[in-house]
Amino acid sequence: MHAFDVLGNPVRRRIVELLAEGELASGAVTDVVREEFGISQPAVSQHLRVLREHGFAQVRVEGNRRLYAVDSQGLREVDEWLDRFRRFWSGHLDALATELARGKRERRLKEDHE
């Protein structure tokens, strides 16, 4: 399964977003996803399994809890795919950074002269 097939599912995207904020117990992930999407606990577990199997999530056992975190392997695949398209926005972002710096400098100079 391609990385975008994995992330094409809104439930799995949401789980990755939750895990990006830090490690979470499976119960915490399940609570949020069940509330937002109205799916069952077994369905959430299936999504977590897909994320683990495709390198987007990792799990560790602590006592009787399963703690999930982002696994960067799947995200690297997405980043590599996007790399061929960066040229379309990198120049624009560089130009924006230049304009922001120029505006900041002009405001500072104006304030110094007042």
Side-chain angles (χ1 to χ4, degrees), residues 6-104:
V6 174
L7 294 177
N9 181 284
V11 173
R12 291 193 288 263
R13 271 197 318 275
R14 180 62 176 129
I15 292 171
V16 171
E17 289 170 357
L18 292 169
L19 298 180
E21 295 176 17
E23 188 177 62
L24 286 173
S26 58
V29 172
T30 298
D31 290 345
V32 172
V33 172
R34 286 181 71 187
E35 181 178 320
E36 291 181 8
F37 293 92
I39 63 176
S40 67
Q41 182 276 325
V44 176
S45 293
Q46 285 292 90
H47 286 295
L48 285 166
R49 182 181 61 77
V50 170
L51 290 170
R52 279 193 326 272
E53 289 177 353
H54 295 283
F56 285 92
Q58 55 190 349
V59 65
R60 71 181 179 88
V61 177
E62 186 177 273
N64 62 349
R65 296 174 9 150
R66 296 174 66 82
L67 300 169
Y68 284 85
V70 167
D71 184 340
S72 63
Q73 175 188 338
L75 296 174
R76 276 194 300 274
E77 183 180 340
V78 170
D79 188 54
E80 289 168 6
W81 188 87
L82 287 171
D83 196 45
R84 71 183 87 176
F85 302 101
R86 288 194 205 302
R87 64 186 168 92
F88 292 111
W89 66 78
S90 292
H92 298 293
L93 292 176
D94 292 343
L96 175 61
T98 300
E99 288 304 313
L100 291 172
R102 181 177 295 140
K104 206 183 265 187

